[in-house]
């Protein structure tokens, strides 16, 4: 998250990356006309890190979706005040905050936990149910 109010992304590559990496967030908050709490560099870093995470959870589509969903919202959602609280900063800098998160029950009840509970994994990161 950045230290400023939500703003429109103007970089067309960042918008395309956000749309492909975080399609639910992109659609919910207005697409290319929407306001987000991330900049082009943060979108690029998010896309890179989530693609690495995908390699770890590839055998669990629900896990992959839920991690992406959570990190997309924690990084770029304009309503971060609803689920993130900055408890402490280092030397008054918002760039190194201590953050507490509150994941809404609606997110958890919306399938996040249920989907992961039904996706069992074996030691090779392959679905044990298949």
């Amino acid at each position: 998250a950045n230290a400023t109010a939500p703003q429109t992304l103007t970089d067309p590559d960042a918008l395309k990356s956000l749309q492909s990496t975080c399609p639910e967030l992109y659609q919910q908050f207005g697409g290319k006309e929407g306001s987000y709490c991330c900049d082009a560099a943060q979108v690029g870093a998010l896309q890179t890190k989530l693609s690495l995470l995908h390699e770890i959870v590839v055998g669990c589509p629900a896990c992959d979706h839920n991690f992406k969903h959570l990190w997309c919202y924690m990084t770029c959602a304009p309503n971060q005040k609803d689920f993130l609280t900055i408890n402490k900063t280092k030397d008054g800098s918002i760039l190194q905050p201590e953050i507490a998160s509150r994941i809404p029950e609606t997110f958890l009840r919306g399938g996040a936990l249920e989907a992961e509970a039904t996706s069992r994994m074996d030691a090779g990161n392959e679905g044990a149910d298949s």
Side-chain angles (χ1 to χ4, degrees):
N2 64 32
T4 62
Q7 50 196 304
T8 303
L9 284 171
T10 56
D11 182 316
D13 292 333
L15 283 165
K16 188 174 181 179
S17 292
L18 184 63
Q19 183 179 18
S20 66
T21 304
C22 306
E24 293 163 340
L25 176 127
Y26 185 83
Q27 182 178 8
Q28 180 181 355
F29 293 109
K32 68 180 182 177
E33 304 298 325
S35 293
Y36 305 98
C37 279
C38 55
D39 59 25
Q42 289 169 310
V43 172
L46 178 65
Q47 184 177 34
T48 299
K49 290 177 182 185
L50 288 177
S51 68
L52 294 172
L53 176 66
H54 173 75
E55 296 302 317
I56 295 169
V57 296
V58 70
C60 178
C63 301
D64 188 43
H65 171 268
N66 292 333
F67 276 118
K68 283 182 180 179
H69 186 79
L70 182 61
W71 282 105
C72 284
Y73 278 74
M74 288 183 70
T75 304
C76 293
N79 65 334
Q80 291 174 347
K81 67 178 176 45
D82 295 340
F83 56 90
L84 294 175
T85 303
I86 297 175
N87 291 335
K88 180 179 168 184
T89 59
K90 183 175 182 180
D91 300 325
S93 171
I94 192 91
L95 299 176
Q96 296 181 343
E98 178 181 297
I99 297 175
S101 62
R102 300 174 308 280
I103 301 173
E105 282 188 43
T106 53
F107 176 80
L108 298 175
R109 278 188 270 134
L113 294 181
E114 291 86 353
E116 289 177 21
T118 61
S119 296
R120 295 190 325 243
M121 306 297 289
D122 65 15
N125 198 30
E126 296 179 17
D129 309 8
S130 40

